[in-house]
Amino acid sequence: MSQNSASAVDDARRDAVRTFLEAHKDEFVAQLSEWIRIPSVWTDPERRDDVQRSAEWFAAAARATGFPTVEIWPASDGAPTVFAEWPSDNPNAPTVVVYGHHDVQPVDPVEQWSFAPFEPAVVEGPDGDRLLGRGASDDKGMVLYHLFGLRANLAASGRTSPPVHLKLLIEGEEESGSPAFPELLRAKRDRLGCDVIVVSDNGHYAAGVITTCVRMRGLTDCQIDLHGPDVDLHSGSFGGSVPNPLTVLTHLLAGLHDANNHITLEGFYDDVAPLTDVERDLIARLPFDDAQWLETAESRATFGEAGYTTLERIWARPTCEIHGVWGGYMGPGHKTIVPTDAHAKVSFRLVANQQPLDVQAALHAYIAANVPDGITAKVEFFGDGVRPYLVPIDDPTVQALVRALGRAYDDEVLFTGEGGSGPEADIAEILQAPLIFLGAGLPTDRVHAPDEHAVISVLLKGAETAAYLWDELAALPSV
Ligand SMILES: [Zn+2]
């Protein structure tokens, strides 16, 4: 989408921001390298002290940047979140919470790395110099650039406080699924009041294709257990005359989709926000090739809900997948029984505005209505599920971000979605504010994988975008 109103950042301001960041590039790399050397793997109980040290490292960096309030908040399981706050001297400025995380993924299998994960180094890559190391991209690089973006903003404007009331919220257990983080958010809600949340923990669609994410799918998953006869029965003496739980299970699972791959659960699509023509057109403008994508997927064919493209299916449509089915005799040779039990693991990816608990109720109702006499069924969901998230592309905060990205990259800005699921919907719900994504990763960064790295110039573009975004948000009539 092209910018539909003038940027609040003029050319002189932009030059000054760029000059600042160019002059401080080595300092940025040196600081990020120091932080990467702290192996903050919260998942590993042996590394918990390192995660604490990582929190203290960032807290010190935020203080050195000028944040007058910096605190470390332990969650109930001990994972340290860093909170930093710097009010604007403009009392009417909007309040922004920047969310990121300072814990990192484990490095296993460490033998697959071509360098030591916690000994950062700069090497040349196809997109420019790269900083190697676990967390270089996800998420220490993207958190640290906020400090440099803010410094660039202040240096270029001559201000002594940010143009927005700025709060940083950098959690310590994101790579473990943030088990205690929502509870911490609720407990600290009075400190976290805001008009907009900026998430920096993702990236662009591709090198040279500037995007921001506007939707994430939700998730709910379960195990289904069916029980038939109390003992395995001879299929000659009993088969065809008592219900077979595996046959029933396969019928139930097959019945979850119709011939067009629509999901059949009652009311399943009632709350699904339909894709607009504008959104479909914007998705279609991203460079995407089914054949190339199939190579990555190592699959021979695309498949899915009729009437939608692959990207639309992944980002904007709900799905149901069967992950495993087992029961009865699974050993070598033959054993002709009617088995006692049948099991399956099933999940649903959800899109706005579906609610995981509604989908759970619909599956319970479907199973209850379709299990014959003689079979007992148990459906157990793993928790309450993750809600989907969507921010409209015409939301003023999204448009402010589009202007900031457009200024930083001198390029058109497009929109992506995220097929996976994260805590974003919960954060937006608890803090009652729209949430936008300012990331500066590339899909080639190998996040979560061996040989993670970040392209230094791309991280600095993240800093530059942040430097503009605060001015763009401050210029909105009201957020
Ligand atoms: Zn991350």
Side-chain angles (χ1 to χ4, degrees):
M1 171 168 277
S2 56
Q3 290 75 61
N4 59 13
S5 60
S7 170
V9 179
D10 64 21
D11 288 352
R13 178 72 64 84
R14 180 162 76 165
D15 290 346
V17 164
R18 287 181 175 175
T19 303
F20 179 92
L21 290 173
E22 185 55 36
H24 292 81
K25 183 172 148 185
D26 292 347
E27 188 186 338
F28 173 74
V29 173
Q31 285 196 18
L32 182 52
S33 301
E34 203 177 292
W35 200 11
I36 290 170
R37 280 190 196 98
I38 305 173
S40 48
V41 183
W42 178 255
T43 312
D44 181 352
E46 308 269 284
R47 299 282 202 198
R48 299 264 155 115
D49 288 350
D50 291 318
V51 182
Q52 183 65 29
R53 273 206 300 137
S54 163
E56 284 161 11
W57 186 94
F58 184 70
R63 264 182 220 110
T65 302
F67 279 84
T69 303
V70 181
E71 298 170 16
I72 294 177
W73 294 344
S76 60
D77 58 6
T81 287
V82 183
F83 172 77
E85 184 173 12
W86 194 343
S88 175
D89 59 16
N90 169 11
N92 300 320
T95 302
V96 179
V97 165
V98 172
Y99 167 83
H101 62 92
H102 67 92
D103 63 315
V104 297
Q105 278 275 320
V107 295
D108 305 317
V110 72
E111 66 278 4
Q112 287 181 19
W113 289 68
S114 60
F115 51 87
F118 298 112
E119 289 168 31
V122 177
V123 299
E124 228 179 278
D127 304 313
D129 280 354
R130 294 171 161 184
L131 181 62
L132 309 179
R134 173 58 91 220
S137 177
D138 181 17
D139 190 29
K140 286 173 174 169
M142 291 193 234
V143 169
L144 187 63
Y145 72 53
H146 277 284
L147 299 187
F148 283 74
L150 178 58
R151 285 171 61 190
N153 177 295
L154 298 177
S157 64
R159 300 178 58 101
T160 53
S161 71
V164 295
H165 302 301
L166 196 55
K167 300 178 182 181
L168 307 182
L169 182 69
I170 311 304
E171 78 154 302
E173 56 172 10
E174 195 273 346
E175 302 293 10
S176 306
S178 308
F181 188 64
E183 181 193 337
L184 179 71
L185 285 184
R186 285 190 193 94
K188 299 287 189 183
R189 191 159 37 191
D190 59 325
R191 305 286 304 278
L192 293 168
C194 62
D195 302 293
V196 58
I197 304 151
V198 175
V199 172
S200 284
D201 186 19
N202 60 341
H204 297 298
Y205 180 78
V209 184
I210 307 312
T211 53
T212 182
C213 174
V214 288
R215 47 171 85 235
M216 293 187 82
R217 290 201 292 189
L219 174 69
T220 185
D221 65 332
C222 69
Q223 178 166 324
I224 302 172
D225 301 297
L226 299 191
H227 181 71
D230 289 338
V231 289
D232 288 347
L233 295 172
H234 187 293
S235 72
S237 309
F238 296 95
S241 304
V242 292
N244 178 322
L246 270 169
T247 309
V248 171
L249 181 65
T250 53
H251 278 289
L252 288 171
L253 296 177
L256 286 170
H257 291 92
D258 68 14
N260 287 317
N261 291 314
H262 289 109
I263 293 153
T264 57
L265 293 182
E266 177 113 27
F268 186 78
Y269 293 97
D270 287 0
D271 297 323
V272 169
L275 273 167
T276 65
D277 289 344
V278 172
E279 288 170 322
R280 299 189 80 171
D281 174 57
L282 286 164
I283 291 174
R285 280 161 67 185
L286 291 163
F288 182 84
D289 177 46
D290 269 339
Q292 223 170 41
W293 178 81
L294 280 173
E295 269 177 44
T296 321
E298 297 192 43
S299 166
R300 261 68 54 199
T302 61
F303 177 88
E305 189 181 1
Y308 294 93
T309 67
T310 300
L311 282 182
E312 290 170 350
R313 286 172 181 160
I314 295 171
W315 290 343
R317 298 297 298 173
T319 56
C320 168
E321 291 295 339
I322 299 161
H323 306 295
V325 179
W326 71 101
Y329 180 65
M330 302 202 290
H334 68 119
K335 184 172 189 237
T336 50
I337 54 162
V338 176
T340 59
D341 292 286
H343 314 274
K345 298 214 186 254
V346 176
S347 79
F348 297 87
R349 293 278 170 183
L350 309 176
V351 300
N353 301 302
Q354 290 179 297
Q355 295 295 330
L357 294 181
D358 291 347
V359 172
Q360 294 185 7
L363 184 71
H364 280 296
Y366 168 77
I367 300 286
N370 291 286
V371 168
D373 284 349
I375 299 280
T376 52
K378 193 175 93 188
V379 179
E380 197 169 350
F381 279 91
F382 304 111
D384 289 347
V386 181
R387 274 174 308 177
Y389 182 72
L390 169 71
V391 60
I393 55 179
D394 56 2
D395 188 279
T397 61
V398 175
Q399 287 302 309
L401 176 58
V402 166
R403 286 191 292 278
L405 285 164
R407 285 307 260 166
Y409 290 89
D410 297 306
D411 208 343
E412 178 185 48
V413 179
L414 292 169
F415 300 95
T416 62
E418 176 66 58
S421 309
E424 282 73 12
D426 273 338
I427 298 175
E429 166 88 10
I430 295 167
L431 302 187
Q432 288 290 304
L435 178 147
I436 56 178
F437 292 84
L438 163 53
L442 293 179
T444 45
D445 286 352
R446 302 187 58 95
V447 300
H448 293 203
D451 285 359
E452 180 178 351
H453 61 267
V455 178
I456 293 164
S457 62
V458 176
L459 288 181
L460 288 168
K461 279 292 174 198
E464 188 182 336
T465 309
Y468 305 149
L469 180 59
W470 309 146
D471 288 320
E472 298 291 355
L473 289 171
L476 291 180
S478 68
V479 177

